[in-house]
Amino acid sequence: MTPADTGASTTLDAAASVSATDVPGAPGAPDAPDSRMAPGGPGYRRMSLALFLAGVATFALLYSTQALLPLISGDMGVSASDASWTVAAATGGLAVFVLPMSALSERFGRRTVMTASLAVAVTVGLLVPFAPSLPALVALRAVQGAALAGLPASATAYLAEEVRPRALVTAIGLFVAGNSVGGMSGRVITGWVAQEWGWRIAVGVIGLVAVACAVAFRMLLPAPKHFTPGSLRPRVLVRTVRDHLANPLLRRLYAIGALFMTVFGGVYTVIGYRLAQAPFSLPQGLIGSIFLVYLVGTVSASTAGRLVGRLGRRGALYLGGGTTAAGLLLSLAPSLPLVLLGLVLITAGFFAGHAVASSAVGKTAQHGRAQASALYQSAYYVGSSAGSTVGAVAFHSGGWAGTVGVGLLAVAGVVAITVLGSLAARRQAPDRPVRALSLPR
């Protein structure tokens, strides 16, 4: 049984060598040079920039209302938990539609689906500022999230097919880094624009930024060379999904992604309300600027490959979970500098853990990579929706301590699942030397 079967941690080189022989044209395949992209090679920079911009557009649109929730609450006369549905609807729409969209990408191609998804999402983004009521706003956000569902799983599958295994974690880390930049810039821009001209103009500006990113993405992304069209038959899709859900390691990775995002969704949905209240009482522009800590996520996501190389996958997940928990506890302090430091730690731990888990999914799945990634993304955004809603309810009933309590429970879940993987690996370890030393008969 391989380390992937047992949940054992593997180094980047080992994981790459296992997956490389399964792909036509990979190193180790007979008489076939590896034509996939690698750092410094043709097309790699264009691909990296294109998917970075796609990540920027995805997170900027998906969370465009998150920093504006106090203003939306005031403008529409609704509570924090009601306003949080403008975030939960978008992430929920993505969670529901990511699997069907990944099936379309198997048939029509990753680049085609990503382009169409961005086109629909940015169009809806230009309509969001004109929503006349909260139900209309929530409905538009749900449609926008469903459209964006074509991006995450298709992008991961594109990278798994077009990038050499040794560079895969780094390439996915750059895409995740684009997510962090999009989330940061969207919230910072909306914060300052909303302070002067209101939340509707702020959301409209984000829509225009996303249009520019979408156009640049389509112009830059190299055409795929290793994509093989699959079937749209429901029976094939169901069988592929069943196979992935039967894999214990994939199930653990899906749960880890959901739990990490529960923390992140809850914290960043509620933090604006906390900072607007005493003892901080910050204006909207400064609250939006708090999201500059996303830059920490850009760094931690892009260095996830090095973390896995040094600590192994499980070690990197322990570090991400521990960093996140430390940040949650620190954020309880009634001091703005300590709260900011807590957010830095939460953000660094989350993005590192997410990059490690999502890249492990792409390496573990030996077929139907888009569906494997789609299941991860579905779990991930279910966690976001749950975190946004439960975190807001916890804040309404117990203040910031309630939101932190929800986050700590989710981190405990990450640690528990990772421990289960470690125990599974140890149970298999005694068998390996015996097999290796057995003599032929």
Side-chain angles (χ1 to χ4, degrees):
M1 193 172 284
T2 65
D5 294 326
T6 63
S9 178
T10 58
T11 64
L12 290 180
D13 290 350
S17 65
V18 170
S19 60
T21 57
D22 298 322
V23 183
D31 302 321
D34 194 345
S35 59
R36 289 171 293 174
M37 289 180 281
Y44 186 84
R45 287 186 178 180
R46 287 179 57 208
M47 176 276 298
S48 298
L49 180 57
L51 289 178
F52 179 85
L53 292 173
V56 170
T58 299
F59 257 44
L61 290 172
L62 194 62
Y63 294 101
S64 59
T65 63
Q66 194 173 56
L68 305 174
L69 293 180
L71 295 181
I72 293 173
S73 291
D75 182 45
M76 295 187 167
V78 297
S79 67
S81 57
D82 289 336
S84 71
W85 280 104
T86 65
V87 179
T91 54
L94 193 154
V96 170
F97 281 89
V98 67
L99 188 57
M101 294 294 281
S102 74
L104 291 177
S105 82
E106 292 281 7
R107 178 65 183 87
F108 298 106
R110 320 301 186 194
R111 189 170 70 160
T112 299
V113 169
M114 287 189 286
T115 300
S117 294
L118 272 178
V120 174
V122 298
T123 300
V124 175
L126 297 177
L127 297 176
V128 165
F130 302 99
S133 63
L134 182 64
L137 177 58
V138 170
L140 284 172
R141 295 282 292 148
V143 172
Q144 192 172 48
L148 287 170
L151 260 295
S154 297
T156 305
Y158 175 94
L159 289 170
E161 292 163 351
E162 305 297 329
V163 176
R164 295 181 188 179
R166 292 178 185 272
L168 183 58
V169 175
T170 299
I172 291 178
L174 289 172
F175 175 66
V176 175
N179 293 166
S180 71
V181 170
M184 176 202 70
S185 59
R187 291 164 171 88
V188 172
I189 292 171
T190 55
W192 287 105
V193 173
Q195 183 171 302
E196 297 297 327
W197 295 288
W199 70 267
R200 295 180 186 273
I201 297 295
V203 173
V205 169
I206 292 302
L208 294 175
V209 171
V211 168
C213 289
V215 171
F217 162 81
R218 186 62 180 82
M219 294 175 62
L220 289 169
L221 189 68
K225 297 180 179 179
H226 300 279
F227 169 73
T228 302
S231 173
L232 279 176
R233 289 179 296 172
R235 185 176 300 175
V236 175
L237 177 61
V238 170
R239 184 169 62 246
T240 302
V241 170
R242 186 176 62 241
D243 289 345
H244 292 327
L245 292 178
N247 186 317
L249 174 56
L250 286 177
R251 289 201 303 268
R252 287 194 288 270
L253 293 172
Y254 297 153
I256 286 170
L259 290 168
F260 264 123
M261 195 54 170
T262 297
V263 181
F264 200 68
V267 165
Y268 278 102
T269 295
V270 172
I271 190 64
Y273 289 97
R274 188 191 184 204
L275 295 178
Q277 297 175 354
F280 308 112
S281 303
L282 299 183
Q284 186 62 43
L286 286 179
I287 291 174
S289 297
I290 295 299
F291 292 91
L292 284 168
V293 298
Y294 263 53
L295 288 172
V296 176
T298 304
V299 175
S300 65
S302 60
T303 58
R306 286 195 291 256
L307 275 179
V308 174
R310 291 180 180 179
L311 304 176
R313 183 175 60 242
R314 285 177 285 129
L317 289 173
Y318 285 132
L319 180 61
T323 302
T324 303
L328 287 167
L329 294 172
L330 198 58
S331 71
L332 290 168
S335 163
L336 184 59
L338 291 180
V339 171
L340 293 179
L341 181 57
L343 291 176
V344 166
L345 295 177
I346 292 167
T347 304
F350 162 74
F351 275 105
H354 168 43
V356 170
S358 61
S359 62
V361 169
K363 289 186 175 183
T364 302
Q366 298 303 312
H367 70 285
R369 284 190 176 93
Q371 280 74 47
S373 297
L375 288 169
Y376 176 84
Q377 296 293 335
S378 182
Y380 176 81
Y381 286 109
V382 165
S384 178
S385 295
S388 298
T389 304
V390 177
V393 171
F395 180 77
H396 181 73
S397 59
W400 181 249
T403 302
V404 168
V406 170
L408 290 173
L409 286 175
V411 172
V414 169
V415 173
I417 291 168
T418 308
V419 168
L420 287 177
S422 301
L423 294 175
R426 289 177 182 176
R427 283 195 296 268
Q428 297 298 322
D431 296 334
R432 292 175 189 153
V434 173
R435 288 196 297 268
L437 295 173
S438 62
L439 298 175
R441 297 183 181 181

